[in-house]
Amino acid sequence: MKVVNLKQAILQAWKERWSDYQWAINMKKFFPKGATWDILNLAEALLEQAMIGPSPNPLILSYLKYAISSQMVSYSSVLTAISKFDDFSRDLCVQALLDIMDMFCDRLSCHGKAEECIGLCRALLSALHWLLRCTAASAERLQERLEAGAPAAGEKQLAMCLQRLEKTLGSTKNRALLHIAKLEEASSWTAIEHSLLKLGEILANLSNAQLRSQAEQCGTLIRSIPTMLSVHSEQPNKTGFPTVHALVLLEGTMNLTGETQPLVEQLMMVKRMQHIPTPLFVLEIWKACLVGLIESPEGTEELKWTAFTFLKIPQVLVKLKKYSHGDKDFTEDVNCAFEFLLKLTPLLDKADQRCNCDFTDFLLQESRKQGLLSEASVNSLMAKRAADREHAPQQKSGENANIQPNPGLILRAEPTVTNILKTMDADHSKSPEGLLGVLGHMLSGKSLDLLLAAAAATGKLKSFARKFINLNEFTTHGSEESTKSASVRALLFDISFLMLCHVAQTYGSEVILSESSTGAEVPFFETWIQTCMPEEGKILNPDHPCFRPDSTKVESLVALLNNSSEMKLVQMNWHEACLSISAAILEILNAWENGVLAFESIQKITDNIKGKVCSLAVCAVAWLVAHVRMLGLDEREKSLQMIRQLAGPLYSENTLQFYNERVVIMSSILEHMCADVLQQTATQIKFPSTGMDTMPYWNLLPPKRPIKEVLTDRFAKVLEKGWVDSRSIHIFDTLLHMGGVYWFCNNLIKELLKETRKEHTLRAVELLYSIFYLDMQQVTLVLLGHILPGLLTDSSKWHSLMDPPGTALAKLAVWCALSSYSSHKGQASSHQKKRHREDIEDYISLFPLDDMQPSKLMRLLSSNEEDANILSSPADRSMSSSLSASQLHTVNMRDPLNRVLANLFLLISSILGSRTAGPHTQFVQWFMEECVACLEQGSRGSILQFMPFTTVSELVKVSAMSSPKVVLAITDLSLPLGRQVAAKAIAAL
């Protein structure tokens, strides 16, 4: 008999009562090779015929079961066919379909093309929707029967439906396929959510508790599918987090002026990667502030730390609160953190002693003001601390009774900064005397440092500096003026000049420099600080044109300094005097060297320079410092003597107002300026002391010791202690400057790879990661672009990648990569900008752009591979072996970090596809595991987007990585191609 179509063939088999295997043989005869059974819709045709009557046709159903078992039909075609049946009133038919699902619903697989695997995801989604509708229909009918008083016979079908739902959803693989399907078909997922709500309403009235709880479990599993990647376990049994501690110390010590947002993002990144519970996270931030404050050197540093703790960190916590889910939870976490903090009694007692106050009281009040704690919590915590303080070691009563505590002063200084900024906005020409009164007030005692620290911690220092630059510019010229107004103008010029120098030395000159706007005239002070002011790492040329102004002005200034008994003030152009003083000093020095001027004349001249306006002395010493550097040993004496003359104050009745206060600031500025030169020339100059160490972190390296030894020693000490202190941060920063990024990073990684105990390596990673924040971008480029490829491609170094140091290095590499990648779109913080960039190597030539020209790295790899196409499986040859999500997102590959990441993942892909396994293969596995562990939900644009798509199929061959969640985590599911790759890998597991 000639069979015309599928339906006829099935009917003939039924009429003639063929057995299942006979049916299969005959079907293959009727339909020669070519079209597959799925294209012919065999599963749907069989189900259609089997479900014609009120009960299913057992013979035709046996054919379908045989087709499933012998893989004539795919699972997706069967699931699609089942989901089209919607007459739920036919109990026997429904039960037969549930039995068929039972055959395979927990072991779905597909080994075909990517499109077929995506088809399986969609079919599973339809089948889930069908199961939910079927369950709801069964529950409704059961309820109707119970209401009518009929026996509860319908429970069997409801139980069957729930059992199949449980079985289907119980498999992680199925949930992963559904996760992909949800992204493919958002509308179908919405339908599932509606069905779930409807089912919940129906089952709420069900008396059978067991069925109800079964349904609830299924509902929970379905709701967990969209977020199945974001479940992370928080780290238990650990109370110290050195990375958070060091990050806060680094920011407080070196970057008070930085914006809060980058710090908040860095802290959140660490919290996420190290899975730190919020209360312990907040506790670690406060602990770091306490330690930083207790160990800070007296003077400016202590005030900076106070401002950081009481003004900046509360703002950081307010921003962290926005990241947490719900305000109430966060205030509870902060309360919990304070409860822990109160148990650290010795630390709090030490802080109370250092600040001469109840430190906790100030901290709690500030937290309450910022809405971080409730009134009730504050009162309860204060009562606990008050009880503890009664047993604290008491200070001698009279000793510090008159000293006002810094926290109180800083908190009062903050509103004062705002008021001063308003005062400075007024027209300077209207009441210069009033303005002078305000500035004079700022100079007394430690007021200036307090105000600057408060301004720096609240982000107002830049506008503060800008206002003083405008004032300084306003006072450079004098027109018709009386003696009194001339001296007021001279004082305003001098105070603003000294303040700005002090700000530049304490907080870095970038706080003062404006964003260059073309066309606008650059103010005098900005010009001077860029070209004439000595700073660490900046070498000045004493013969630079900026030190060689108009000769007539120089001559008149020399005459004025030499002949008059004191400096004239009326109609003096101060900016011209400041720019001419360097050339004038050169003339005077030459005259002194050649015996034209005696030492008494020099004394008179230096007295004139510093007698009225201290800023002239600052400008003179700035040039002398540059000049001394260029002189031979025997030529320096007179220049150094002149610096000595200028550094001491003038003891005279005839000085202008606030002279002593100005001299204190001047000598601090001069001490900073001369520090390098005095060290190089082994000279000592006594600067008028303010009783405090003005340069606490200067000259930290021990003399005559190789810097590599210093680096390894310091790291060993930090590792033993378990946390990084402020002094160590400064030492590491100096070493990074001196040795360069590659030297610094390479030597520290060598130290890490020497560790053999697991707990030591983990601690070393946490500490190194925080030390690398000194210049995270550059360190990451070196680590991922040079050090790792070097270790992975050289078989003689593979032994160093064994566990535990290998695992630790993988963790460190991922942390650095994620931190740099997430922040490199933002700006580097100011302490990183200061560093002189060294070209590690031209990244463009190291990692070329196009695939036609293989990079140096890939040539290294391919030299020992016989088959260049080993990366891709035959089915994927069409897909370039290096095609990755980043190319589809059109990421800028001219960026060095993107380029380095892309090449590192190419190298990883090549190692996984290689025929030789070893510690380097194991390292790659740890690296990928750490990437997955650190991943946040839906992080499109993470570093994994640089991984070639072909790597996924290689990775799942590694037993530890062959899980559906890992596949979902490492592929970019926002792209259709990413979803196909993921579906293919998961369906084949």
Side-chain angles (χ1 to χ4, degrees), residues 727-950:
R727 189 179 170 80
S728 298
I729 286 175
H730 280 272
I731 290 175
F732 284 130
D733 192 49
T734 312
L735 291 167
L736 178 55
H737 268 289
M738 290 178 85
V741 183
Y742 180 81
W743 173 89
F744 184 76
C745 184
N746 193 32
N747 282 309
L748 285 175
I749 294 297
K750 280 180 186 168
E751 291 306 300
L752 170 66
L753 293 176
K754 284 178 196 167
E755 289 299 331
T756 50
R757 289 176 57 184
K758 192 166 185 175
E759 61 273 24
H760 276 188
T761 54
L762 187 61
R763 188 196 292 176
V765 166
E766 291 181 334
L767 291 168
L768 280 176
Y769 173 58
S770 54
I771 293 166
F772 286 169
Y773 261 109
L774 284 167
D775 198 348
M776 185 57 87
Q777 292 289 329
Q778 296 295 311
V779 165
T780 306
L781 288 175
V782 162
L783 180 61
L784 305 184
H786 294 261
I787 295 172
L788 277 190
L791 288 168
L792 290 170
T793 51
D794 182 351
S795 54
S796 66
K797 292 180 183 164
W798 287 350
H799 65 91
S800 64
L801 296 176
M802 304 282 269
D803 193 30
T807 330
L809 179 58
K811 196 183 273 288
L812 180 64
V814 172
W815 287 1
C816 291
L818 285 171
S819 301
S820 291
Y821 191 73
S822 68
S823 69
H824 90 304
K825 299 176 186 71
Q827 291 303 307
S829 62
S830 60
H831 70 266
Q832 291 176 3
K833 279 185 212 154
K834 274 187 257 179
R835 180 145 3 270
H836 295 290
R837 292 275 172 259
E838 65 217 61
D839 283 329
I840 301 155
E841 193 177 330
D842 181 7
Y843 282 95
I844 305 272
S845 65
L846 183 69
F847 305 127
L849 273 173
D850 51 354
D851 285 340
M852 300 310 293
Q853 176 195 2
S855 67
K856 188 191 287 185
L857 192 69
M858 293 318 287
R859 283 201 301 277
L860 266 174
L861 301 172
S862 56
S863 59
N864 53 15
E865 278 299 355
E866 302 85 67
D867 178 9
N869 276 333
I870 196 154
L871 289 178
S872 46
S873 61
D876 285 333
R877 281 288 152 79
S878 58
M879 197 193 291
S880 152
S881 64
S882 64
L883 179 66
S884 66
S886 59
Q887 284 155 286
L888 299 176
H889 287 312
T890 58
V891 169
N892 170 22
M893 290 312 281
R894 291 201 166 275
D895 180 281
L897 181 63
N898 293 349
R899 189 183 286 275
V900 161
L901 282 166
N903 273 273
L904 179 66
F905 277 107
L906 272 178
L907 170 57
I908 282 175
S909 190
S910 128
I911 287 171
L912 285 167
S914 153
R915 290 177 189 151
T916 49
H920 63 309
T921 327
Q922 184 73 57
F923 176 85
V924 164
Q925 181 194 318
W926 291 324
F927 183 88
M928 294 306 295
E929 280 174 357
E930 191 58 36
C931 282
V932 173
C934 293
L935 215 67
E936 56 187 306
Q937 166 67 10
S939 60
R940 168 189 158 168
S942 85
I943 58 168
L944 284 168
Q945 65 175 330
F946 294 98
M947 181 182 71
F949 285 121
T950 48

Side-chain angles (χ1 to χ4, degrees), residues 483-543:
T483 315
K484 186 183 177 194
S485 58
S487 67
V488 169
R489 185 171 67 84
L491 276 169
L492 287 175
F493 174 83
D494 197 36
I495 292 173
S496 57
F497 187 95
L498 292 172
M499 277 187 181
L500 287 165
C501 285
H502 183 61
V503 169
Q505 287 182 338
T506 315
Y507 294 98
S509 52
E510 55 279 344
V511 177
I512 284 172
L513 303 176
S514 55
E515 276 68 41
S516 53
S517 52
T518 46
E521 196 179 329
V522 181
F524 151 71
F525 187 81
E526 275 195 50
T527 314
W528 182 82
I529 199 168
Q530 282 178 295
T531 49
C532 310
M533 179 161 163
E535 286 181 282
E536 190 187 357
K538 181 163 120 186
I539 304 295
L540 298 174
N541 171 11
D543 301 326

Side-chain angles (χ1 to χ4, degrees), residues 323-344:
Y323 281 82
S324 76
H325 311 295
D327 286 0
K328 195 160 182 285
D329 296 349
F330 193 76
T331 47
E332 280 168 18
D333 286 337
V334 172
N335 183 40
C336 185
F338 271 111
E339 294 273 4
F340 289 143
L341 188 64
L342 291 188
K343 291 179 181 156
L344 305 174

Side-chain angles (χ1 to χ4, degrees), residues 12 73 96 136 154 216 299-300 343 446 450 454 506 550 574 602 656 677 726 839 910:
Q12 186 186 348
V73 289
E216 277 164 17
T300 315
K343 291 179 181 156
K446 55 183 179 185
L450 270 167
T506 315
D550 180 358
W574 290 113
I602 299 296
L656 292 177
V677 159
S726 306
D839 283 329
S910 128

